[in-house]
């Protein structure tokens, strides 16, 4: 079977070219420049003035969790307490048979002090467990606290915090490891629930042109179920069409004793065409908004320097052993101390294992050149690098200067030679790569986003850290495919025909309109998996 894509431009390693692309038997056979004779093909796809790009790869995402949340009480398309309460009440009324009201997607910035309260959802006749949009906290009601036996006398876990009022009584917000105190009591999804969630997530991601991803937590975390069996079943049955790497969860309450188990989990995926489990995810700190991101100096106004979930000395030991065993290590690091601790742990490791650090909200300037020097890839979530309520009201006042100016230093990383990949952290934020590219180029909120109407949404956030569109698109294609050791991600002969047809050419748009670009068609191995 052969397909000729023509009638537009093509994003290639040599730049954006006018021409056509021939696909034969699922593989890119030729890239033909404009003016050269067009090869014959059994089928033609008219680009209609749009742009043909490689399938996007999301380097940090949680699809099964997202799929599960879309089937529960999903608050991600709402904003504000009144909107949340209305959605929760409506969901409860339509799901009278459910023992728990669970789901998530609420935003800290929707609350005056950044945190909800249990009494705001005590109108429910059942316990409630609602995960924060970024999955670092949960909002629960009094019934849920009672079900878990959480009182003013309950101690905080080592890796988390129970939010309390001045009297010490729990307020209904559980941070980080404290989420499990209630989360593990909620109904467990069945194997079929996990399969359905993965199928729904894949359908949605194909609609956004995403043909591959790295699942950033394959294991049990914050009350979630281990997703490895679902991926193995989907890969073996042929349901999984995307090219996926699972980052196996590093249990931060344990040490080197778990490595033997990780080796066995990696081996369980050997021989599968669409899924591999050769990465290990280590969460080194939390987030700035609840002061769990690990910083070098105390937070302004409230003090404290956050949490390092893995002792830095142990982290170096663990990473060295994982590296020796050929694992890729994928680290979550938000605060500048966590970034430094991660970089320190990669000293002396093998760059061939393609280690990477995700999020990178704050990097102390002297650490920026170390990414290139150590061969560590910067895994960016560009959509977060804007002025929005969470940034302006819950982050900037507590970081202070100069630390606030060290955030999301994309241009500095590029200037020092760092390799880039990119992802979304969906369902924490929108999975659409084109929205992320818009922010990478403009450092402003895309039109139509939940925060687009915020007063400073169109004021560029640290505009000196912008990147050009070609660089941003390369991070979402070749860069992230490289991290996954995927043969896709580039339009050139011999590569798999994982391709995306965009409805317009974003390189011909004013930068402020990049976000208006949409996906018309998505192909995997030359076969259509989405058509709008």
């Amino acid at each position: 079977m052969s397909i000729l894509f023509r009638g537009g431009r093509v994003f290639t390693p040599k730049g954006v070219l006018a021409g056509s692309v021939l696909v034969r038997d699922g593989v890119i056979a030729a890239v033909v420049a404009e003016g050269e004779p067009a090869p014959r093909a059994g089928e033609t796809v008219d680009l209609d003035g749009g742009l043909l790009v490689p399938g996007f790869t999301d380097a940090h995402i949680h699809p099964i969790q997202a799929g599960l949340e879309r089937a529960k009480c999903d608050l991600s398309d709402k904003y504000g307490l009144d909107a949340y309460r209305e959605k929760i009440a409506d969901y409860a009324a339509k799901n009278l048979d459910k023992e728990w009201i669970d789901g998530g997607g609420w935003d800290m910035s929707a609350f005056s002090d950044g945190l909800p309260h249990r009494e705001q959802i005590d109108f429910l006749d059942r316990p409630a467990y609602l995960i924060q949009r970024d999955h670092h906290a949960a909002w629960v009601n009094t019934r849920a606290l009672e079900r878990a036996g959480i009182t003013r006398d309950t101690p905080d876990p080592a890796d988390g915090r129970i939010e309390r009022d001045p009297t010490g009584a729990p307020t209904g917000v559980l941070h980080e490891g404290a989420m499990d105190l209630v989360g593990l009591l909620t109904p467990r999804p069945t194997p079929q629930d996990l399969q359905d969630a993965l199928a729904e997530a894949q359908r949605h991601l194909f609609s956004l042109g995403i043909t591959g991803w790295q699942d950033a937590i394959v294991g049990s975390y914050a009350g979630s179920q281990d997703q490895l069996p679902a991926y193995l079943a989907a890969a073996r049955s042929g349901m999984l069409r995307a090219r996926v790497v699972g980052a196996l969860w590093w249990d931060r309450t344990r040490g080197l004793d778990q490595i033997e188990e990780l080796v066995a989990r990696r081996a369980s995926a050997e021989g599968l065409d669409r899924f591999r489990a050769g990465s290990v995810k280590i969460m080194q700190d939390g987030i700035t908004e609840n002061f769990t991101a690990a910083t070098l100096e105390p937070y302004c106004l409230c003090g404290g320097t956050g949490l390092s979930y893995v002792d830095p000395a142990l982290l170096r030991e663990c990473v060295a052993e994982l590296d020796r065993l050929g694992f890729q290590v994928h680290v979550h690091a938000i605060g500048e101390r966590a970034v430094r601790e991660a970089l320190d742990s990669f000293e002396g490791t093998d760059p061939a294992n393609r280690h990477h650090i995700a999020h990178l909200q704050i990097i102390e300037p002297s650490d920026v050149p170390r990414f290139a020097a150590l061969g560590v890839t910067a895994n960016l979530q560009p959509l977060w690098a804007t002025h929005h309520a969470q940034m302006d009201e819950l982050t900037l006042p507590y970081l202070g200067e100069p630390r606030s100016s060290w955030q999301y230093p994309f241009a500095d990383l590029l200037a020092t030679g760092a390799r880039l990949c990119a992802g979304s952290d969906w369902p924490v934020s929108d999975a659409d790569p084109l929205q992320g590219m818009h922010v990478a180029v403009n450092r402003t909120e895309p039109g139509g986003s939940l925060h687009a109407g915020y007063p400073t949404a169109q004021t560029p956030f640290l505009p000196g850290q912008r990147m050009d569109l070609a660089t941003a698109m390369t991070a979402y294609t070749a860069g992230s495919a490289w991290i996954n050791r995927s043969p896709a991600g580039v339009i050139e002969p011999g590569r798999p025909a994982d391709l995306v047809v965009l409805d317009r050419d974003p390189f011909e748009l004013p930068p402020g309109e990049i976000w208006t670009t949409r996906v018309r068609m998505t192909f995997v191995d030359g076969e259509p998996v989405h058509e709008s």
Side-chain angles (χ1 to χ4, degrees), residues 305-381:
T305 58
L307 300 174
S308 292
Y309 290 131
V310 182
D311 178 82
L314 177 61
L315 179 67
R316 289 193 292 272
E317 190 177 359
C318 295
V319 168
E321 181 61 12
L322 290 168
D323 177 74
R324 186 186 69 80
L325 293 169
F327 279 102
Q328 174 189 87
V329 180
H330 176 164
V331 179
H332 162 121
I334 292 281
E336 72 273 20
R337 187 178 85 237
V339 173
R340 178 170 292 176
E341 290 166 352
L343 289 168
D344 289 347
S345 76
F346 288 127
E347 291 277 2
T349 59
D350 186 353
N353 287 327
R354 308 188 186 191
H355 305 306
H356 50 128
I357 305 176
H359 306 326
L360 303 171
Q361 181 170 346
I362 313 167
I363 308 178
E364 201 280 329
S366 67
D367 285 322
V368 172
R370 298 179 67 195
F371 284 81
L374 295 172
V376 175
T377 298
N379 187 333
L380 311 180
Q381 284 63 62

Side-chain angles (χ1 to χ4, degrees), residues 97 105 124 146 156 199 300 310 346 359 374 456 459:
D97 60 325
L124 293 167
E146 292 172 347
D156 289 340
C300 303
V310 182
F346 288 127
H359 306 326
L374 295 172
T456 57
T459 299

Side-chain angles (χ1 to χ4, degrees), residues 27 48 58 121 142 156 162 195 254 276 346 477:
V27 176
D48 193 25
D58 192 308
I121 47 175
T142 301
D156 289 340
I162 300 168
Q195 287 287 295
R254 300 171 60 189
R276 293 181 297 104
F346 288 127
T477 53

Side-chain angles (χ1 to χ4, degrees), residues 9-18 31-33 36 54 470 474 477-478 489-493 507:
R9 297 204 298 170
V10 182
F11 183 70
T12 77
K14 297 179 180 179
V16 181
L17 307 176
V31 179
V32 183
E36 296 180 4
T474 298
T477 53
V490 177
I491 296 179
E492 62 184 13
F507 289 92

